[in-house]
Amino acid sequence: MIVLETNYSKKLGLPGYSSHQFSITLKTEIADLAQVQTESNRLYQLLQQSVDASIKEVGFLPTEVPIQNRNGNGNGNGHHNGNDTWECSDKQKALILKIVEEHKLDKKEIEALAQDRFGKGVKALNKLEASQIIEILLQEHSDNNKGNGRRFGSRYQKAGAK
Amino acid sequence: MIAVLDPVQVAARPEPNPTEELQKTVSASRLNCWLQCRLKFFFRYVLQLPRPPSAAMFVGSIAHQVLQQWNHGRWRKEPFQTEKFKAWFDSQWTEEQKTSKIKWDDDQADERASAWKTLEHYFLETPIKADERPEAVEVPVEADLSHHGLPRLIGILDLVRAGGTIVDFKVTGKTPDPEQAIHQHEIQLSCYGVLYRDATSRKEAGLELHHLVRTKTPKLIVTRIGPITQQQETRLFKVMESYVDGVGRQDFVPSPSFGCAGCEYFTECRRWS
Ligand code: SF4
């Protein structure tokens, strides 16, 4: 009696830097060696079809799917290697620091604002969040922008402001 | 092709925008204007001819300001008070009216009353809960698309709802057809999707158009679409490519159509050759 043990395994990359894999192992008996090639081909087809049918179901996926590698977007600092790195663009980082310095703002207050609005510190803000914080700071601290007029005026007066 | 204007007009206008600059940065408004009529684009963005303010633009601007106040208020966890927004609406209307040069077709008081009624209706009918905190409000964003060989894309997102749904507010006099609305605003919505993804490294949950309809009995039409698709992104990028090419060639020709009835450059257009 000859025992043929076959295994087929497949690993697939998924969004959100995740992956999943599935394998099937099958043992079968064959009567003589002449059947090995034929039987092995048949089992390969069978296992592959079975694995493929199952692996299509991706199951749980992380909800926040990174669209692209941040290093690749040309704007962000792109480093995730310590507390001194900022997630927003260099331009945004420079602007936030400039506003803080020019208006002698308390960094703790800015930190508290970021925490309140986004549940994270200033350095961890992405580009959208950093832009929002800049807008709020400019509205609150620019002499020409008392109240709420900054963007409203431009929306109305400037063609294509959006 | 180069557009030629009457010398009197040319003398009165501000410095033209170099086309090289216009090729470097695009927005949904620029692309839409380009697609609508390239000569109109030339008047608006190259020659920068002043755009006479219209009643619709004025009302839209004030309504957006009130909605922005409301969105920020929820973010600050302030209780909703209609009177506060009404007072703000009134003072802003009065203030901006002092400097505007709008020719009101109808009675201005009627326009004002109808604008407020539409906002009041929105607050009653909006799908956004009073305690839903936004993810962003009236936030400017930009995306460097040079890795696609495309210009920088800029835009302002009216509202990003908790969970990543992008909302654009439209104040209109006509009830929109949802399918047409999605088609007509495809470029804008696709721009917002691309901008959001670039700024957050996340896919948007979806997009919503909130049409505040200023009919006798105000209406709110909310049109929802899912995240922008690969096909929509490709269509947008192709439009951007065609824009860059066309602006580079100075292909500023008129596109006479039904849309000309509302064109602010009709007189200049008739002089063009
Ligand atoms: S009148 Fe019509 S063709 Fe002329 S610039 Fe305006 S939209 Fe274009």
Side-chain angles (χ1 to χ4, degrees), chain A residues 65-67 91 116-118 127 131-132 148 151-152 155-156 159-160 162, chain B residues 29 65 68-69 76 133 136-138 140 142 156 158 168 192 198-199 201:
Chain A
V65 180
I67 296 298
K91 226 163 75 180
D116 174 61
R117 295 296 167 99
F118 302 109
K127 290 199 286 179
S131 181
Q132 187 78 66
N148 301 286
R151 188 150 305 283
F152 306 152
R155 184 193 269 277
Y156 173 47
K162 283 183 80 180
Chain B
S29 310
Q65 293 172 45
Q68 187 179 351
Q69 287 292 304
R76 292 190 293 257
R133 297 187 87 201
V137 174
E138 194 83 7
E142 61 177 67
I156 299 172
D158 281 350
D168 197 64
Y192 290 171
D198 182 83
S201 301

PDB file of all heavy atoms in Angstrom, chain A residues 65-67 91 116-118 127 131-132 148 151-152 155-156 159-160 162, chain B residues 29 65 68-69 76 133 136-138 140 142 156 158 168 192 198-199 201:
ATOM      1  N   VAL A  65      -8.218  51.479   6.483  1.00  0.00           N
ATOM      2  CA  VAL A  65      -7.336  50.893   5.488  1.00  0.00           C
ATOM      3  C   VAL A  65      -6.355  51.939   4.964  1.00  0.00           C
ATOM      4  O   VAL A  65      -6.759  52.919   4.351  1.00  0.00           O
ATOM      5  CB  VAL A  65      -8.178  50.361   4.311  1.00  0.00           C
ATOM      6  CG1 VAL A  65      -7.286  49.744   3.262  1.00  0.00           C
ATOM      7  CG2 VAL A  65      -9.163  49.325   4.829  1.00  0.00           C
ATOM      8  N   PRO A  66      -5.079  51.759   5.218  1.00  0.00           N
ATOM      9  CA  PRO A  66      -4.134  52.734   4.668  1.00  0.00           C
ATOM     10  C   PRO A  66      -4.165  52.683   3.146  1.00  0.00           C
ATOM     11  O   PRO A  66      -4.125  51.611   2.556  1.00  0.00           O
ATOM     12  CB  PRO A  66      -2.774  52.262   5.203  1.00  0.00           C
ATOM     13  CG  PRO A  66      -3.089  51.342   6.320  1.00  0.00           C
ATOM     14  CD  PRO A  66      -4.413  50.734   5.995  1.00  0.00           C
ATOM     15  N   ILE A  67      -4.334  53.825   2.506  1.00  0.00           N
ATOM     16  CA  ILE A  67      -4.438  53.871   1.065  1.00  0.00           C
ATOM     17  C   ILE A  67      -3.062  53.781   0.421  1.00  0.00           C
ATOM     18  O   ILE A  67      -2.877  53.235  -0.619  1.00  0.00           O
ATOM     19  CB  ILE A  67      -5.125  55.185   0.628  1.00  0.00           C
ATOM     20  CG1 ILE A  67      -6.544  55.198   1.154  1.00  0.00           C
ATOM     21  CG2 ILE A  67      -5.112  55.358  -0.873  1.00  0.00           C
ATOM     22  CD1 ILE A  67      -7.413  54.096   0.621  1.00  0.00           C
ATOM     23  N   LYS A  91       5.495  71.444   5.644  1.00  0.00           N
ATOM     24  CA  LYS A  91       4.928  72.790   5.515  1.00  0.00           C
ATOM     25  C   LYS A  91       3.951  73.059   6.660  1.00  0.00           C
ATOM     26  O   LYS A  91       3.947  74.137   7.258  1.00  0.00           O
ATOM     27  CB  LYS A  91       4.182  72.874   4.167  1.00  0.00           C
ATOM     28  CG  LYS A  91       4.474  74.113   3.365  1.00  0.00           C
ATOM     29  CD  LYS A  91       4.050  73.942   1.924  1.00  0.00           C
ATOM     30  CE  LYS A  91       2.557  74.032   1.715  1.00  0.00           C
ATOM     31  NZ  LYS A  91       2.136  73.867   0.318  1.00  0.00           N
ATOM     32  N   ASP A 116      -8.704  67.225  22.148  1.00  0.00           N
ATOM     33  CA  ASP A 116     -10.158  67.368  22.209  1.00  0.00           C
ATOM     34  C   ASP A 116     -10.794  67.053  20.858  1.00  0.00           C
ATOM     35  O   ASP A 116     -11.800  66.360  20.768  1.00  0.00           O
ATOM     36  CB  ASP A 116     -10.524  68.795  22.636  1.00  0.00           C
ATOM     37  CG  ASP A 116     -12.022  69.005  22.574  1.00  0.00           C
ATOM     38  OD1 ASP A 116     -12.740  68.281  23.306  1.00  0.00           O
ATOM     39  OD2 ASP A 116     -12.495  69.851  21.790  1.00  0.00           O
ATOM     40  N   ARG A 117     -10.194  67.596  19.791  1.00  0.00           N
ATOM     41  CA  ARG A 117     -10.805  67.420  18.471  1.00  0.00           C
ATOM     42  C   ARG A 117     -10.527  66.050  17.865  1.00  0.00           C
ATOM     43  O   ARG A 117     -11.353  65.484  17.169  1.00  0.00           O
ATOM     44  CB  ARG A 117     -10.308  68.498  17.496  1.00  0.00           C
ATOM     45  CG  ARG A 117     -10.723  69.912  17.864  1.00  0.00           C
ATOM     46  CD  ARG A 117     -12.227  70.066  17.803  1.00  0.00           C
ATOM     47  NE  ARG A 117     -12.690  71.269  18.427  1.00  0.00           N
ATOM     48  CZ  ARG A 117     -13.003  72.387  17.782  1.00  0.00           C
ATOM     49  NH1 ARG A 117     -12.867  72.444  16.488  1.00  0.00           N
ATOM     50  NH2 ARG A 117     -13.451  73.426  18.441  1.00  0.00           N
ATOM     51  N   PHE A 118      -9.302  65.549  18.082  1.00  0.00           N
ATOM     52  CA  PHE A 118      -8.928  64.329  17.353  1.00  0.00           C
ATOM     53  C   PHE A 118      -8.478  63.173  18.240  1.00  0.00           C
ATOM     54  O   PHE A 118      -8.152  62.105  17.735  1.00  0.00           O
ATOM     55  CB  PHE A 118      -7.819  64.657  16.341  1.00  0.00           C
ATOM     56  CG  PHE A 118      -8.220  65.719  15.366  1.00  0.00           C
ATOM     57  CD1 PHE A 118      -7.676  66.996  15.423  1.00  0.00           C
ATOM     58  CD2 PHE A 118      -9.184  65.461  14.405  1.00  0.00           C
ATOM     59  CE1 PHE A 118      -8.063  67.989  14.533  1.00  0.00           C
ATOM     60  CE2 PHE A 118      -9.578  66.436  13.514  1.00  0.00           C
ATOM     61  CZ  PHE A 118      -9.020  67.710  13.576  1.00  0.00           C
ATOM     62  N   LYS A 127      -2.527  64.935   7.785  1.00  0.00           N
ATOM     63  CA  LYS A 127      -2.556  66.216   7.054  1.00  0.00           C
ATOM     64  C   LYS A 127      -3.925  66.907   7.152  1.00  0.00           C
ATOM     65  O   LYS A 127      -4.005  68.123   7.235  1.00  0.00           O
ATOM     66  CB  LYS A 127      -2.188  65.985   5.581  1.00  0.00           C
ATOM     67  CG  LYS A 127      -0.725  65.624   5.405  1.00  0.00           C
ATOM     68  CD  LYS A 127      -0.240  65.852   3.990  1.00  0.00           C
ATOM     69  CE  LYS A 127      -0.746  64.804   3.046  1.00  0.00           C
ATOM     70  NZ  LYS A 127      -0.318  65.016   1.655  1.00  0.00           N
ATOM     71  N   SER A 131      -4.388  70.478   9.076  1.00  0.00           N
ATOM     72  CA  SER A 131      -4.965  71.602   8.351  1.00  0.00           C
ATOM     73  C   SER A 131      -6.107  72.218   9.155  1.00  0.00           C
ATOM     74  O   SER A 131      -6.278  73.442   9.210  1.00  0.00           O
ATOM     75  CB  SER A 131      -5.464  71.117   6.985  1.00  0.00           C
ATOM     76  OG  SER A 131      -5.998  72.173   6.263  1.00  0.00           O
ATOM     77  N   GLN A 132      -6.880  71.352   9.802  1.00  0.00           N
ATOM     78  CA  GLN A 132      -7.995  71.846  10.620  1.00  0.00           C
ATOM     79  C   GLN A 132      -7.482  72.655  11.816  1.00  0.00           C
ATOM     80  O   GLN A 132      -8.008  73.718  12.133  1.00  0.00           O
ATOM     81  CB  GLN A 132      -8.820  70.655  11.111  1.00  0.00           C
ATOM     82  CG  GLN A 132     -10.088  71.052  11.821  1.00  0.00           C
ATOM     83  CD  GLN A 132     -11.181  71.473  10.851  1.00  0.00           C
ATOM     84  OE1 GLN A 132     -11.670  70.670  10.093  1.00  0.00           O
ATOM     85  NE2 GLN A 132     -11.548  72.744  10.872  1.00  0.00           N
ATOM     86  N   ASN A 148     -15.602  85.009  12.309  1.00  0.00           N
ATOM     87  CA  ASN A 148     -15.581  83.837  11.449  1.00  0.00           C
ATOM     88  C   ASN A 148     -15.394  84.176   9.981  1.00  0.00           C
ATOM     89  O   ASN A 148     -15.735  83.397   9.124  1.00  0.00           O
ATOM     90  CB  ASN A 148     -16.895  83.068  11.630  1.00  0.00           C
ATOM     91  CG  ASN A 148     -17.074  82.664  13.065  1.00  0.00           C
ATOM     92  OD1 ASN A 148     -16.435  81.769  13.562  1.00  0.00           O
ATOM     93  ND2 ASN A 148     -17.928  83.411  13.759  1.00  0.00           N
ATOM     94  N   ARG A 151     -12.638  82.463   5.813  1.00  0.00           N
ATOM     95  CA  ARG A 151     -12.925  81.699   4.627  1.00  0.00           C
ATOM     96  C   ARG A 151     -14.227  82.138   3.956  1.00  0.00           C
ATOM     97  O   ARG A 151     -14.398  82.044   2.768  1.00  0.00           O
ATOM     98  CB  ARG A 151     -12.999  80.216   4.971  1.00  0.00           C
ATOM     99  CG  ARG A 151     -13.096  79.358   3.763  1.00  0.00           C
ATOM    100  CD  ARG A 151     -12.465  78.046   4.007  1.00  0.00           C
ATOM    101  NE  ARG A 151     -11.099  78.169   4.448  1.00  0.00           N
ATOM    102  CZ  ARG A 151     -10.081  78.455   3.642  1.00  0.00           C
ATOM    103  NH1 ARG A 151     -10.281  78.681   2.373  1.00  0.00           N
ATOM    104  NH2 ARG A 151      -8.854  78.527   4.104  1.00  0.00           N
ATOM    105  N   PHE A 152     -15.132  82.687   4.787  1.00  0.00           N
ATOM    106  CA  PHE A 152     -16.412  83.081   4.210  1.00  0.00           C
ATOM    107  C   PHE A 152     -16.201  84.140   3.141  1.00  0.00           C
ATOM    108  O   PHE A 152     -16.736  84.073   2.074  1.00  0.00           O
ATOM    109  CB  PHE A 152     -17.327  83.676   5.279  1.00  0.00           C
ATOM    110  CG  PHE A 152     -17.505  82.766   6.441  1.00  0.00           C
ATOM    111  CD1 PHE A 152     -17.780  83.278   7.688  1.00  0.00           C
ATOM    112  CD2 PHE A 152     -17.387  81.403   6.299  1.00  0.00           C
ATOM    113  CE1 PHE A 152     -17.958  82.456   8.751  1.00  0.00           C
ATOM    114  CE2 PHE A 152     -17.565  80.567   7.371  1.00  0.00           C
ATOM    115  CZ  PHE A 152     -17.850  81.099   8.615  1.00  0.00           C
ATOM    116  N   ARG A 155     -14.722  82.649   0.067  1.00  0.00           N
ATOM    117  CA  ARG A 155     -15.648  81.772  -0.659  1.00  0.00           C
ATOM    118  C   ARG A 155     -16.554  82.605  -1.557  1.00  0.00           C
ATOM    119  O   ARG A 155     -16.839  82.256  -2.682  1.00  0.00           O
ATOM    120  CB  ARG A 155     -16.502  80.995   0.335  1.00  0.00           C
ATOM    121  CG  ARG A 155     -17.420  79.997  -0.340  1.00  0.00           C
ATOM    122  CD  ARG A 155     -18.417  79.513   0.643  1.00  0.00           C
ATOM    123  NE  ARG A 155     -17.981  78.333   1.351  1.00  0.00           N
ATOM    124  CZ  ARG A 155     -18.103  77.111   0.857  1.00  0.00           C
ATOM    125  NH1 ARG A 155     -18.571  76.920  -0.347  1.00  0.00           N
ATOM    126  NH2 ARG A 155     -17.737  76.073   1.559  1.00  0.00           N
ATOM    127  N   TYR A 156     -16.986  83.719  -1.030  1.00  0.00           N
ATOM    128  CA  TYR A 156     -17.942  84.543  -1.746  1.00  0.00           C
ATOM    129  C   TYR A 156     -17.254  85.378  -2.832  1.00  0.00           C
ATOM    130  O   TYR A 156     -17.717  85.497  -3.950  1.00  0.00           O
ATOM    131  CB  TYR A 156     -18.644  85.424  -0.720  1.00  0.00           C
ATOM    132  CG  TYR A 156     -19.551  86.472  -1.295  1.00  0.00           C
ATOM    133  CD1 TYR A 156     -20.461  86.165  -2.296  1.00  0.00           C
ATOM    134  CD2 TYR A 156     -19.496  87.766  -0.811  1.00  0.00           C
ATOM    135  CE1 TYR A 156     -21.294  87.126  -2.808  1.00  0.00           C
ATOM    136  CE2 TYR A 156     -20.339  88.730  -1.313  1.00  0.00           C
ATOM    137  CZ  TYR A 156     -21.227  88.406  -2.314  1.00  0.00           C
ATOM    138  OH  TYR A 156     -22.045  89.365  -2.812  1.00  0.00           O
ATOM    139  N   ALA A 159     -13.416  83.701  -7.102  1.00  0.00           N
ATOM    140  CA  ALA A 159     -13.901  82.617  -7.957  1.00  0.00           C
ATOM    141  C   ALA A 159     -13.020  81.410  -7.728  1.00  0.00           C
ATOM    142  O   ALA A 159     -11.815  81.514  -7.659  1.00  0.00           O
ATOM    143  CB  ALA A 159     -13.818  83.048  -9.413  1.00  0.00           C
ATOM    144  N   GLY A 160     -13.664  80.280  -7.625  1.00  0.00           N
ATOM    145  CA  GLY A 160     -12.901  79.042  -7.555  1.00  0.00           C
ATOM    146  C   GLY A 160     -12.131  78.863  -6.274  1.00  0.00           C
ATOM    147  O   GLY A 160     -11.098  78.220  -6.252  1.00  0.00           O
ATOM    148  N   LYS A 162     -12.943  77.106  -3.972  1.00  0.00           N
ATOM    149  CA  LYS A 162     -12.980  75.687  -3.645  1.00  0.00           C
ATOM    150  C   LYS A 162     -12.349  74.874  -4.746  1.00  0.00           C
ATOM    151  O   LYS A 162     -12.455  75.191  -5.890  1.00  0.00           O
ATOM    152  CB  LYS A 162     -14.421  75.245  -3.454  1.00  0.00           C
ATOM    153  CG  LYS A 162     -14.953  75.676  -2.128  1.00  0.00           C
ATOM    154  CD  LYS A 162     -16.329  75.178  -1.923  1.00  0.00           C
ATOM    155  CE  LYS A 162     -16.339  73.746  -1.481  1.00  0.00           C
ATOM    156  NZ  LYS A 162     -17.635  73.178  -1.264  1.00  0.00           N
TER     157      LYS A 162
ATOM    158  N   SER B  29     -13.331  73.449  -8.929  1.00  0.00           N
ATOM    159  CA  SER B  29     -13.970  74.596  -9.603  1.00  0.00           C
ATOM    160  C   SER B  29     -13.288  74.884 -10.928  1.00  0.00           C
ATOM    161  O   SER B  29     -13.946  75.149 -11.926  1.00  0.00           O
ATOM    162  CB  SER B  29     -13.858  75.852  -8.746  1.00  0.00           C
ATOM    163  OG  SER B  29     -14.271  75.597  -7.462  1.00  0.00           O
ATOM    164  N   GLN B  65     -21.865  79.814   5.802  1.00  0.00           N
ATOM    165  CA  GLN B  65     -21.304  80.332   7.060  1.00  0.00           C
ATOM    166  C   GLN B  65     -22.098  79.819   8.263  1.00  0.00           C
ATOM    167  O   GLN B  65     -21.532  79.429   9.276  1.00  0.00           O
ATOM    168  CB  GLN B  65     -21.325  81.857   7.049  1.00  0.00           C
ATOM    169  CG  GLN B  65     -20.400  82.461   6.027  1.00  0.00           C
ATOM    170  CD  GLN B  65     -20.586  83.958   5.924  1.00  0.00           C
ATOM    171  OE1 GLN B  65     -20.671  84.651   6.924  1.00  0.00           O
ATOM    172  NE2 GLN B  65     -20.662  84.465   4.716  1.00  0.00           N
ATOM    173  N   GLN B  68     -21.369  76.233   8.795  1.00  0.00           N
ATOM    174  CA  GLN B  68     -20.035  76.075   9.387  1.00  0.00           C
ATOM    175  C   GLN B  68     -20.086  76.322  10.899  1.00  0.00           C
ATOM    176  O   GLN B  68     -19.487  75.595  11.692  1.00  0.00           O
ATOM    177  CB  GLN B  68     -19.056  77.045   8.724  1.00  0.00           C
ATOM    178  CG  GLN B  68     -17.624  76.807   9.175  1.00  0.00           C
ATOM    179  CD  GLN B  68     -16.628  77.740   8.508  1.00  0.00           C
ATOM    180  OE1 GLN B  68     -16.983  78.472   7.580  1.00  0.00           O
ATOM    181  NE2 GLN B  68     -15.405  77.729   8.964  1.00  0.00           N
ATOM    182  N   GLN B  69     -20.841  77.357  11.277  1.00  0.00           N
ATOM    183  CA  GLN B  69     -21.027  77.654  12.703  1.00  0.00           C
ATOM    184  C   GLN B  69     -21.638  76.453  13.426  1.00  0.00           C
ATOM    185  O   GLN B  69     -21.228  76.068  14.503  1.00  0.00           O
ATOM    186  CB  GLN B  69     -21.993  78.835  12.869  1.00  0.00           C
ATOM    187  CG  GLN B  69     -21.414  80.172  12.502  1.00  0.00           C
ATOM    188  CD  GLN B  69     -20.340  80.557  13.490  1.00  0.00           C
ATOM    189  OE1 GLN B  69     -20.591  80.612  14.687  1.00  0.00           O
ATOM    190  NE2 GLN B  69     -19.151  80.791  12.998  1.00  0.00           N
ATOM    191  N   ARG B  76     -17.591  71.567  19.372  1.00  0.00           N
ATOM    192  CA  ARG B  76     -17.283  72.117  20.710  1.00  0.00           C
ATOM    193  C   ARG B  76     -18.292  71.646  21.747  1.00  0.00           C
ATOM    194  O   ARG B  76     -18.300  72.125  22.867  1.00  0.00           O
ATOM    195  CB  ARG B  76     -17.275  73.656  20.646  1.00  0.00           C
ATOM    196  CG  ARG B  76     -16.122  74.231  19.838  1.00  0.00           C
ATOM    197  CD  ARG B  76     -16.041  75.737  20.011  1.00  0.00           C
ATOM    198  NE  ARG B  76     -17.191  76.410  19.428  1.00  0.00           N
ATOM    199  CZ  ARG B  76     -17.163  77.051  18.253  1.00  0.00           C
ATOM    200  NH1 ARG B  76     -16.044  77.116  17.555  1.00  0.00           N
ATOM    201  NH2 ARG B  76     -18.241  77.628  17.778  1.00  0.00           N
ATOM    202  N   ARG B 133     -20.074  64.565  16.444  1.00  0.00           N
ATOM    203  CA  ARG B 133     -18.914  65.463  16.298  1.00  0.00           C
ATOM    204  C   ARG B 133     -18.241  65.214  14.944  1.00  0.00           C
ATOM    205  O   ARG B 133     -18.051  64.071  14.550  1.00  0.00           O
ATOM    206  CB  ARG B 133     -17.913  65.244  17.434  1.00  0.00           C
ATOM    207  CG  ARG B 133     -18.485  65.573  18.795  1.00  0.00           C
ATOM    208  CD  ARG B 133     -17.416  65.493  19.849  1.00  0.00           C
ATOM    209  NE  ARG B 133     -16.692  66.740  19.999  1.00  0.00           N
ATOM    210  CZ  ARG B 133     -15.473  66.835  20.536  1.00  0.00           C
ATOM    211  NH1 ARG B 133     -14.840  65.753  20.915  1.00  0.00           N
ATOM    212  NH2 ARG B 133     -14.881  68.007  20.662  1.00  0.00           N
ATOM    213  N   ALA B 136     -13.905  66.897  10.352  1.00  0.00           N
ATOM    214  CA  ALA B 136     -13.304  68.124   9.802  1.00  0.00           C
ATOM    215  C   ALA B 136     -14.421  69.061   9.350  1.00  0.00           C
ATOM    216  O   ALA B 136     -15.483  68.603   8.956  1.00  0.00           O
ATOM    217  CB  ALA B 136     -12.402  67.797   8.630  1.00  0.00           C
ATOM    218  N   VAL B 137     -14.135  70.366   9.440  1.00  0.00           N
ATOM    219  CA  VAL B 137     -15.123  71.366   9.022  1.00  0.00           C
ATOM    220  C   VAL B 137     -14.423  72.426   8.173  1.00  0.00           C
ATOM    221  O   VAL B 137     -13.431  73.021   8.607  1.00  0.00           O
ATOM    222  CB  VAL B 137     -15.756  72.057  10.254  1.00  0.00           C
ATOM    223  CG1 VAL B 137     -16.685  73.199   9.830  1.00  0.00           C
ATOM    224  CG2 VAL B 137     -16.533  71.062  11.107  1.00  0.00           C
ATOM    225  N   GLU B 138     -14.961  72.628   6.964  1.00  0.00           N
ATOM    226  CA  GLU B 138     -14.447  73.680   6.063  1.00  0.00           C
ATOM    227  C   GLU B 138     -12.913  73.676   6.067  1.00  0.00           C
ATOM    228  O   GLU B 138     -12.264  74.678   6.350  1.00  0.00           O
ATOM    229  CB  GLU B 138     -14.999  75.032   6.523  1.00  0.00           C
ATOM    230  CG  GLU B 138     -14.860  76.169   5.540  1.00  0.00           C
ATOM    231  CD  GLU B 138     -15.945  76.208   4.492  1.00  0.00           C
ATOM    232  OE1 GLU B 138     -16.902  75.413   4.590  1.00  0.00           O
ATOM    233  OE2 GLU B 138     -15.817  77.019   3.561  1.00  0.00           O
ATOM    234  N   PRO B 140      -9.213  73.226   4.322  1.00  0.00           N
ATOM    235  CA  PRO B 140      -8.497  73.211   3.046  1.00  0.00           C
ATOM    236  C   PRO B 140      -7.527  72.029   2.989  1.00  0.00           C
ATOM    237  O   PRO B 140      -6.847  71.750   3.975  1.00  0.00           O
ATOM    238  CB  PRO B 140      -7.722  74.531   3.038  1.00  0.00           C
ATOM    239  CG  PRO B 140      -7.811  75.096   4.402  1.00  0.00           C
ATOM    240  CD  PRO B 140      -8.717  74.254   5.235  1.00  0.00           C
ATOM    241  N   GLU B 142      -4.784  69.677   0.238  1.00  0.00           N
ATOM    242  CA  GLU B 142      -4.111  69.624  -1.055  1.00  0.00           C
ATOM    243  C   GLU B 142      -3.407  68.288  -1.211  1.00  0.00           C
ATOM    244  O   GLU B 142      -3.015  67.668  -0.218  1.00  0.00           O
ATOM    245  CB  GLU B 142      -3.128  70.783  -1.223  1.00  0.00           C
ATOM    246  CG  GLU B 142      -2.015  70.817  -0.195  1.00  0.00           C
ATOM    247  CD  GLU B 142      -1.025  71.947  -0.472  1.00  0.00           C
ATOM    248  OE1 GLU B 142      -1.446  73.108  -0.338  1.00  0.00           O
ATOM    249  OE2 GLU B 142       0.130  71.649  -0.804  1.00  0.00           O
ATOM    250  N   ILE B 156     -11.480  72.523  -0.673  1.00  0.00           N
ATOM    251  CA  ILE B 156     -11.948  72.754   0.700  1.00  0.00           C
ATOM    252  C   ILE B 156     -13.114  71.798   0.946  1.00  0.00           C
ATOM    253  O   ILE B 156     -14.081  71.794   0.181  1.00  0.00           O
ATOM    254  CB  ILE B 156     -12.418  74.215   0.888  1.00  0.00           C
ATOM    255  CG1 ILE B 156     -11.266  75.188   0.631  1.00  0.00           C
ATOM    256  CG2 ILE B 156     -12.963  74.431   2.307  1.00  0.00           C
ATOM    257  CD1 ILE B 156     -11.681  76.649   0.603  1.00  0.00           C
ATOM    258  N   ASP B 158     -16.316  70.858   2.921  1.00  0.00           N
ATOM    259  CA  ASP B 158     -17.307  71.520   3.788  1.00  0.00           C
ATOM    260  C   ASP B 158     -17.374  70.826   5.144  1.00  0.00           C
ATOM    261  O   ASP B 158     -17.351  71.466   6.184  1.00  0.00           O
ATOM    262  CB  ASP B 158     -18.705  71.451   3.160  1.00  0.00           C
ATOM    263  CG  ASP B 158     -18.895  72.493   2.063  1.00  0.00           C
ATOM    264  OD1 ASP B 158     -18.032  73.374   1.937  1.00  0.00           O
ATOM    265  OD2 ASP B 158     -19.912  72.417   1.353  1.00  0.00           O
ATOM    266  N   ASP B 168     -20.910  67.650   1.098  1.00  0.00           N
ATOM    267  CA  ASP B 168     -20.849  68.949   0.438  1.00  0.00           C
ATOM    268  C   ASP B 168     -22.243  69.566   0.463  1.00  0.00           C
ATOM    269  O   ASP B 168     -23.220  68.910   0.088  1.00  0.00           O
ATOM    270  CB  ASP B 168     -20.353  68.812  -1.011  1.00  0.00           C
ATOM    271  CG  ASP B 168     -19.894  70.167  -1.540  1.00  0.00           C
ATOM    272  OD1 ASP B 168     -18.918  70.713  -0.999  1.00  0.00           O
ATOM    273  OD2 ASP B 168     -20.528  70.687  -2.480  1.00  0.00           O
ATOM    274  N   TYR B 192     -12.686  65.334  -4.012  1.00  0.00           N
ATOM    275  CA  TYR B 192     -12.749  65.249  -2.547  1.00  0.00           C
ATOM    276  C   TYR B 192     -12.255  63.884  -2.054  1.00  0.00           C
ATOM    277  O   TYR B 192     -11.556  63.799  -1.053  1.00  0.00           O
ATOM    278  CB  TYR B 192     -14.176  65.502  -2.053  1.00  0.00           C
ATOM    279  CG  TYR B 192     -14.634  66.932  -2.217  1.00  0.00           C
ATOM    280  CD1 TYR B 192     -15.951  67.302  -1.996  1.00  0.00           C
ATOM    281  CD2 TYR B 192     -13.742  67.932  -2.596  1.00  0.00           C
ATOM    282  CE1 TYR B 192     -16.378  68.617  -2.144  1.00  0.00           C
ATOM    283  CE2 TYR B 192     -14.153  69.242  -2.755  1.00  0.00           C
ATOM    284  CZ  TYR B 192     -15.472  69.579  -2.532  1.00  0.00           C
ATOM    285  OH  TYR B 192     -15.885  70.872  -2.683  1.00  0.00           O
ATOM    286  N   ASP B 198      -5.486  61.237   0.341  1.00  0.00           N
ATOM    287  CA  ASP B 198      -4.098  61.708   0.428  1.00  0.00           C
ATOM    288  C   ASP B 198      -3.809  62.292   1.812  1.00  0.00           C
ATOM    289  O   ASP B 198      -2.737  62.107   2.372  1.00  0.00           O
ATOM    290  CB  ASP B 198      -3.838  62.779  -0.642  1.00  0.00           C
ATOM    291  CG  ASP B 198      -2.406  63.256  -0.611  1.00  0.00           C
ATOM    292  OD1 ASP B 198      -1.552  62.577  -1.210  1.00  0.00           O
ATOM    293  OD2 ASP B 198      -2.119  64.282   0.049  1.00  0.00           O
ATOM    294  N   ALA B 199      -4.799  63.002   2.369  1.00  0.00           N
ATOM    295  CA  ALA B 199      -4.570  63.695   3.648  1.00  0.00           C
ATOM    296  C   ALA B 199      -4.647  62.764   4.853  1.00  0.00           C
ATOM    297  O   ALA B 199      -4.083  63.068   5.904  1.00  0.00           O
ATOM    298  CB  ALA B 199      -5.589  64.831   3.802  1.00  0.00           C
ATOM    299  N   SER B 201      -4.570  59.044   4.494  1.00  0.00           N
ATOM    300  CA  SER B 201      -4.143  57.662   4.175  1.00  0.00           C
ATOM    301  C   SER B 201      -5.262  56.655   4.460  1.00  0.00           C
ATOM    302  O   SER B 201      -4.992  55.496   4.756  1.00  0.00           O
ATOM    303  CB  SER B 201      -2.887  57.266   4.952  1.00  0.00           C
ATOM    304  OG  SER B 201      -1.846  58.129   4.647  1.00  0.00           O
TER     305      SER B 201
END
